[in-house]
Amino acid sequence: MNDPHLAELRKTYSQRTLSETDVLPDAVQQFRVWLEEALAAQLEEPTALTLSTVAANGQPSSRVVLLKGLPDDAGFLFYTNYESRKGQELAAQPLAAINFFWPGLERQVRVEGRVEKAPETMSTEYFQSRPRSSQLGAWASPQSQVIGSREELEAREVAMADEFGSQDPLPRPPHWGGYILRPQRMEFWQGRPSRLHDRIVYELEGNSWRRSRLAP
């Protein structure tokens, strides 16, 4: 049975349009344009993305992480614990999808591709640029593992702070670092009236991108 309160929620999208002549030939460069517009609009968490991975049994899982760079203008960089659920799933199946949703601009971007670990030097440089509290948190948290209580986690943080003393910055944990998603397919979605949204998809063919329009 439908929930009438949810079923009646509707919004008309009418801010902008998107045509084949509006976009750049390179998909990642087009993403940069939209990201800069999201930053300029001062949207809340414009770098937040939903990352989806797949377990060995085919079960997908999703979570929100933050974009931390576009290295080489050919990839999407994020950081996490390699031993987390997503890290284990990426080790077994290095394919993923990410999604950016910017409701303030009535836009979303979907990206699919292969994932590789970022260079260790890149991961270490970023880790040591983080606030000390975040560095301690990465050492203290056995991400995605079951723990007994919040107090247990906080005790681990205190223990790590005692262990490292005044050392600053901390060394990067061997179980923590970056991933780069190398896109093979990217879709740009612009909300339009009557649910006739604009969808432009890029598919990588060799070293160039082929563009097409999709029905909404």
Side-chain angles (χ1 to χ4, degrees), residues 18 41 60 72 86 92 99 104 137 141 151 153 162 177 187-188 195 198 205 212:
L18 181 65
D72 306 321
K86 55 185 170 295
N99 188 82
S141 175
E151 289 72 22
L153 186 62
D162 289 343
E187 180 188 323
F188 295 81
R195 294 298 185 263
D198 287 327
E205 296 183 344
S212 307

Side-chain angles (χ1 to χ4, degrees), residues 69-125:
L70 296 165
D72 306 321
D73 285 332
F76 294 76
L77 172 67
F78 60 92
Y79 292 91
T80 190
N81 186 315
Y82 292 144
E83 298 174 354
S84 65
R85 178 176 177 180
K86 55 185 170 295
Q88 293 181 42
E89 292 180 351
L90 288 171
Q93 178 62 279
L95 299 173
I98 61 178
N99 188 82
F100 295 85
F101 181 46
W102 298 310
L105 297 175
E106 300 176 353
R107 287 175 171 171
Q108 67 175 317
V109 181
R110 301 169 60 188
V111 186
E112 301 170 19
R114 296 191 64 84
V115 179
E116 62 193 46
K117 283 187 177 180
E120 290 191 7
T121 53
M122 180 183 293
S123 293
T124 298
E125 181 180 1

Side-chain angles (χ1 to χ4, degrees), residues 13-71:
Y13 298 107
S14 59
Q15 287 191 26
R16 306 183 186 205
T17 64
L18 181 65
S19 73
E20 292 83 343
T21 59
D22 294 332
V23 295
L24 297 175
D26 184 274
V28 179
Q29 292 301 320
Q30 178 60 39
F31 176 82
R32 279 190 177 277
V33 171
W34 273 24
L35 178 61
E36 290 299 325
E37 291 181 1
L39 293 168
Q42 299 184 328
L43 302 182
E44 187 171 355
E45 297 287 13
T47 62
L49 61 95
T50 300
L51 167 68
S52 298
T53 55
V54 181
N57 66 359
Q59 174 63 52
S61 62
S62 298
R63 74 288 291 161
V64 175
V65 299
L66 299 178
L67 178 70
K68 290 300 179 181
L70 296 165

